[in-house]
Amino acid sequence: MTKKQKKMLYRILIAAVLFLAAKFIPMPMLVSTALYFAAYVTIGYDILRKAWKGICNHQVFDENFLMAVATIGAIALAIYEKSGDYAEAVAVMLFYQIGELFQSYAVGKSRRNITALMDIRPDYANIERDGKLEQVDPDDVAVGTVITVQPGEKIPIDGCIVEGSSTLNTAALTGESLPRDVMTGDEVISGCINMTGVLKVKTTKAFGESTVSKILELMENSSSHKSRSEAFISRFARVYTPAVCYSALALAILPPVINLLMGNASAWGVWVYRALTFLVISCPCALVISIPLSFFAGLGGAGHEGILIKGSNYLEALSKTKIVVFDKTGTLTQGVFEVTGVHHSPMEDRKLLEYAALAECASSHPISRSLQKACGVELDRSRVTDIEERGGRGVVATVDGHSVAAGNGKLMDELGVKWQDCHSVGTIVHMAVDGEYAGHIVISDVVKSDARDAIAALKRAGVQKTVMLTGDIKKVADHVAQELGVDEVHAELLPGDKVAQVERLLGEKGKDDCLAFVGDGINDAPVLSRADIGIAMGAMGSDAAIEAADVVLMDDDPMKIAKGIQISRKCIRIVYENIVFSLGVKLTCLLLVAIGIANMWMGIFADVGVMVLAVLNAIRALRTSKN
Ligand code: ADP
Ligand code: MG
């Protein structure tokens, strides 16, 4: 409990004691009145002050105003009727404050729980100086520094292991509970927890550019993107509260006036009382509190599964996904190619591979990484100049003074180089050196182990159509599409063609349906922003893709798309449950009050009860089922 909550608890206890004494201990009326007033002021002074401030700031209609008017009205009525029964006003205020206390406690606690799930911020980095470890601010660590990560510590900055081996817990980043073994030479990302051995890590990025910082940045910005339901609720409250106030006024004045006109004696007291009760019940706090909390819990639950959603609006869109469009390389396939052959090369295979790797040295495409790995030797980047990457085609560069091109048939056509087709199934990297065809390297990729299941899971989650778009040759594309069971496949596309395909699909879908595009590469960025929801692969994916996307899958697992859709559906369902439930109970109570069945006591119980249930229901969005 925070200090503020403790103070409120004491106020509630003191007021409750005064209230009970006034109500149940026999005493002269003057004394009991004094006790009631003491209780009322103890418990309600801040509400009265806030209501007054609201009136001064011309923001009259809020729940403080409702409570103040209702309770002061009840007191005035008791004075007017000389009943001396101020219990109702005090009790209403008391219960309202108990409800508020519970709410601030529950909301605060679940917010802390959600943030704790995402608690990946490292506090320090260890640097060894003169044989001693020194803790420094990770922000001050320069790229290329060797830091030491001891067992139990978080890796603060992305880097490469130069010494040691260990097991990493990546659960906070990916939701994956299986630990990952790492050893010298492996890349590690920040936010993982080192479990067993001591690691020396040479940092490859600055702290601000590291994975954790990026994730935290995403998380922090995500709550500012409000969903439509959320925006609806704030607009709703702005119209609703004044509407109830005027209705209450009408309820207090109209029936007695009509009675009077019809010649009957009018019972002012009864109708004023009903109007006041009406005000107590009408508080929209359950909605105002529970809707944003549901979304926050949904985002937190998804985050815990390694699905980062950049705002509640995307959570809402994700729940309506009907078409999922995939990029192939790196998204459905691992993007880890093996070189399976070198054909038609006039030069030595090794030499050709080396040229290819050198020309590709600046590219972040999975093909490039695989060629560099296949080459095996440390590359001397100073041999390469004038690198130009052509999205969806390949790269052109100058290596050792020779102009080298590596890419697909389209690239060769563009350069006017005659190229030879290949009969092996696989992705072909054609090479040209000094404008002459220099043979091709055949590389093959494997589909991700659960890509097939992921497509099936999407179907089960209600996705109507799955489409694969790729820049790769048709032969490979068809082969992969068949293996995975996607509905539609389009091959040999340039980045612009992918946008065109997505636009065509956007035109075909229903008005309320959403289209998601899943990709990983720099050249996917335009499509990612064009789709209703862009989903990027976080681990393999390029920074540009992660930046452009609305949802990031931390562990590149395509299964997580269906999972994300399920989480979003559950969250939206909870939001609607809360809207329908709160409004339903409120409207019923208002009706009961208007016809005189319910009194103010029942009103406050209904109000606090609805709020408690709505908050508890909202917290359910945090829990994601395991399957
Ligand atoms: P995908 O849509 O399957 O992810 P891309 O659009 O990234 O594929 O690339 C399409 C094709 O362009 C690749 O299959 C490859 O033939 C060629 N290509 C793209 N980038 C490179 C590169 N860096 N090196 C060699 N070839 C490349
Ligand atoms: Mg790709």
Side-chain angles (χ1 to χ4, degrees), residues 189-369:
I189 55 174
S190 47
C192 301
I193 298 172
N194 179 15
M195 303 214 293
T196 48
V198 176
L199 293 177
K200 296 219 160 143
V201 177
K202 185 169 179 181
T203 62
T204 50
K205 285 185 183 158
F207 180 59
E209 294 300 310
S210 285
T211 311
V212 224
S213 305
K214 293 259 178 225
I215 295 175
L216 289 170
E217 211 172 287
L218 293 182
M219 286 302 289
E220 270 151 28
N221 292 334
S222 69
S223 44
S224 59
H225 294 274
K226 286 230 165 94
S227 78
R228 264 197 289 164
S229 324
E230 219 172 341
F232 164 77
I233 290 301
S234 5
R235 253 179 303 145
F236 172 83
R238 239 175 288 146
V239 181
Y240 172 84
T241 320
V244 213
C245 289
Y246 290 124
S247 311
L249 203 60
L251 193 62
I253 297 176
L254 288 185
V257 167
I258 292 171
N259 263 348
L260 215 59
L261 290 181
M262 297 199 344
N264 301 329
S266 67
W268 285 98
V270 174
W271 291 102
V272 170
Y273 179 81
R274 287 188 191 173
L276 293 174
T277 314
F278 194 88
L279 284 184
V280 172
I281 296 180
S282 60
C283 248
C285 6
L287 286 181
V288 173
I289 298 297
S290 75
I291 307 298
L293 185 67
S294 309
F295 278 113
F296 193 65
L299 294 180
H304 189 49
E305 290 287 329
I307 308 164
L308 288 184
I309 302 176
K310 294 194 194 170
S312 29
N313 51 339
Y314 303 119
L315 197 72
E316 198 169 15
L318 197 60
S319 72
K320 296 189 211 147
T321 307
K322 287 286 146 55
I323 305 178
V324 180
V325 184
F326 292 93
D327 166 60
K328 178 180 75 75
T329 317
T331 304
L332 288 173
T333 66
Q334 287 179 352
V336 182
F337 294 88
E338 295 277 319
V339 173
T340 48
V342 179
H343 302 159
H344 308 291
S345 174
M347 49 173 126
E348 221 182 306
D349 287 3
R350 283 223 59 78
K351 185 94 185 148
L352 189 74
L353 262 177
E354 193 181 325
Y355 268 27
L358 279 166
E360 296 268 9
C361 71
S363 166
S364 66
H365 199 276
I367 291 183
S368 139
R369 281 183 236 174

Side-chain angles (χ1 to χ4, degrees), residues 543-564:
D543 290 350
I546 294 173
E547 198 81 20
D550 310 314
V551 177
V552 180
L553 305 180
M554 288 313 299
D555 56 358
D556 294 3
D557 181 353
M559 266 320 251
K560 291 284 166 69
I561 304 165
K563 182 105 209 177

Side-chain angles (χ1 to χ4, degrees), residues 474-555:
K474 193 158 179 348
K475 197 155 65 174
V476 180
D478 286 344
H479 182 75
V480 173
Q482 223 200 344
E483 195 174 335
L484 297 180
V486 291
D487 300 325
E488 214 178 291
V489 54
H490 302 275
E492 298 178 32
L493 303 173
L494 293 177
D497 302 334
K498 289 191 187 174
V499 178
Q501 285 287 348
V502 165
E503 275 174 349
R504 177 181 65 78
L505 289 163
L506 281 170
E508 282 175 9
K509 73 180 172 71
K511 193 163 65 69
D512 274 337
D513 300 345
C514 283
L515 177 145
F517 179 84
V518 197
D520 69 314
I522 304 181
N523 52 3
D524 294 328
V527 214
L528 283 167
S529 24
R530 187 68 190 82
D532 294 323
I533 315 155
I535 305 178
M537 296 292 159
M540 264 288 256
S542 65
D543 290 350
I546 294 173
E547 198 81 20
D550 310 314
V551 177
V552 180
L553 305 180
M554 288 313 299
D555 56 358

